[in-house]
């Protein structure tokens, strides 16, 4: 009975090119601590076969909002990298259903800004046109396989890199160019945590700090990690997420 009272519900939103599979080390650790965890594949990614040309930011937000609405209590909503723009849109739609937003080296954008805008300013990022192939017909973009280790997995094992390379999928283009639509009255009322990755080469530490400054109000946690702490710093990332759940319970009880 006591254990059930302590449970939180986590929904983990993956980043570009990835799927729910990338969260598996974190899912295992959170479930071991008796929490409910959902790590879905966003439409057209992971095992989902929805055509990339049909994907919009609104469709992703609606997909995740439905999972949030179905949870028995307000959730801890976690987003990695591109997943950050999905988090913000969901929080604008249903702020009352989210206890905490956690951005893991994720795009935290001000109203009216797109991921494409923010990425263009991160001139030290290794995610550049030279390592990407755009499919105009399918409205998708793919990374060259040989580039992904340096971009995403610098501290990861060879086995983790090989697994990831085999599972990455083309990323839909339309959400990347869509401005985020948020307001202080709705998105702004949800507590936020930003977990920054100081060794990130996909989204540099400087870029992460700029976003935190532009959209102030997040609690900050720093990990000495590459862009993929769910692999390279799984214990530390899980501990940070579990701490957030403990803090949430304390706030609810006061």
């Amino acid at each position: 009975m006591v254990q059930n009272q302590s449970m939180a519900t986590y929904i983990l939103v993956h980043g570009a090119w990835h799927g729910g599979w990338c969260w598996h080390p974190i899912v295992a650790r959170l479930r071991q601590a008796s929490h409910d965890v959902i790590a879905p594949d966003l439409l057209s990614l992971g095992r989902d076969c929805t055509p990339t040309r049909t994907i919009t930011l609104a469709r992703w937000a609606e997909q995740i909002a439905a999972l949030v609405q179905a949870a028995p209590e307000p959730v801890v909503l976690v987003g990695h990298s591109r997943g950050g723009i999905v988090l913000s849109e969901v929080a604008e739609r249903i702020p009352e259903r989210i206890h905490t937003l956690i951005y893991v080296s994720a795009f935290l954008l001000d109203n009216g800004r797109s991921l494409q805008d923010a990425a263009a300013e991160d001139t030290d990022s290794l995610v550049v046109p030279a390592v990407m192939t755009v499919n105009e017909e399918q409205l998708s973009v793919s990374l060259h396989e040989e580039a992904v280790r340096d971009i995403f997995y610098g501290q990861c094992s060879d086995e983790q890199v090989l697994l990831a390379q085999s599972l990455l999928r083309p990323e839909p283009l339309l959400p990347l160019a869509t401005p985020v639509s948020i307001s202080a009255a709705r998105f702004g009322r949800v507590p936020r945590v930003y977990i920054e990755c100081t060794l990130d080469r996909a989204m540099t530490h400087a870029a992460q700090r700029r976003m935190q400054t532009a959209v102030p109000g997040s609690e900050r946690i720093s990990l000495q990690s590459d862009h993929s702490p769910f692999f390279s710093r799984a214990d530390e990332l899980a501990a940070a997420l579990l701490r957030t759940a403990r803090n949430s319970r304390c706030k609810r009880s006061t």
Side-chain angles (χ1 to χ4, degrees):
M1 183 68 68
V2 173
Q3 187 180 65
N4 288 338
Q5 290 175 347
S6 71
M7 288 173 61
T9 299
Y10 289 85
I11 297 179
L12 312 178
V13 181
H14 63 80
W17 298 288
H18 289 67
W21 53 265
C22 72
W23 291 112
H24 287 348
I26 305 304
V27 170
R29 287 161 171 80
L30 297 181
R31 287 181 177 164
Q32 189 174 24
S34 300
H35 297 293
D36 290 332
V37 191
I38 304 169
D41 292 327
L42 288 174
L43 296 173
S44 88
L45 292 160
R47 292 171 294 181
D48 187 88
C49 295
T50 305
T52 52
R53 65 180 178 276
T54 69
I55 301 302
T56 62
L57 180 54
R59 286 192 72 183
W60 278 344
E62 290 158 8
Q63 176 192 358
I64 299 303
L67 295 176
V68 174
Q69 291 279 38
E73 61 180 356
V75 307
V76 179
L77 187 57
V78 183
H80 174 246
S81 193
R82 185 267 293 117
I85 62 174
V86 181
L87 260 62
S88 297
E89 289 283 334
V90 173
E92 181 68 16
R93 285 164 169 75
I94 47 171
E96 70 283 355
R97 297 295 302 154
I98 303 169
H99 199 287
T100 309
L101 294 167
I102 305 182
Y103 293 77
V104 181
S105 192
F107 283 90
L108 173 60
L109 303 181
D110 203 357
N111 183 56
R113 295 262 291 165
S114 72
L115 186 153
Q116 188 172 275
D117 295 334
E121 295 175 355
D122 190 8
T123 55
D124 291 325
S125 169
L126 296 186
V127 183
V128 294
V131 300
M132 296 187 286
T133 300
V134 174
N135 185 320
E136 299 286 357
E137 181 181 352
Q138 296 301 319
L139 294 179
S140 68
V141 59
S142 301
L143 285 174
H144 299 172
E145 183 176 293
E146 67 274 10
V148 300
R149 174 189 279 277
D150 289 340
I151 294 171
F152 295 142
Y153 313 116
Q155 296 181 305
C156 299
S157 69
D158 291 342
E159 291 80 5
Q160 289 168 330
V161 175
L162 287 170
L163 173 65
Q165 286 174 328
S166 72
L167 295 173
L168 295 174
R169 296 273 305 278
E171 173 76 3
L173 277 173
L174 292 179
L176 308 184
T178 303
V180 167
S181 180
I182 57 173
S183 65
R186 297 183 65 78
F187 162 83
R189 79 189 209 214
V190 183
R192 296 192 310 273
V193 177
Y194 197 101
I195 300 178
E196 58 182 26
C197 296
T198 62
L199 304 178
D200 198 331
R201 303 185 75 188
M203 186 194 306
T204 63
H205 189 210
Q208 294 171 60
R209 284 289 175 93
R210 282 196 298 271
M211 287 187 286
Q212 292 174 70
T213 300
V215 187
S218 301
E219 175 191 349
R220 177 185 296 159
I221 298 173
S222 295
L223 298 181
Q224 270 199 306
S225 172
D226 57 18
H227 192 60
S228 304
F230 37 76
F231 289 155
S232 61
R233 291 289 184 270
D235 286 338
E236 295 170 51
L237 178 56
L241 299 181
L242 289 168
R243 189 183 83 185
T244 299
R246 288 193 296 271
N247 290 347
S248 297
R249 293 197 300 275
C250 291
K251 291 174 183 176
R252 285 200 296 268
S253 64
T254 55

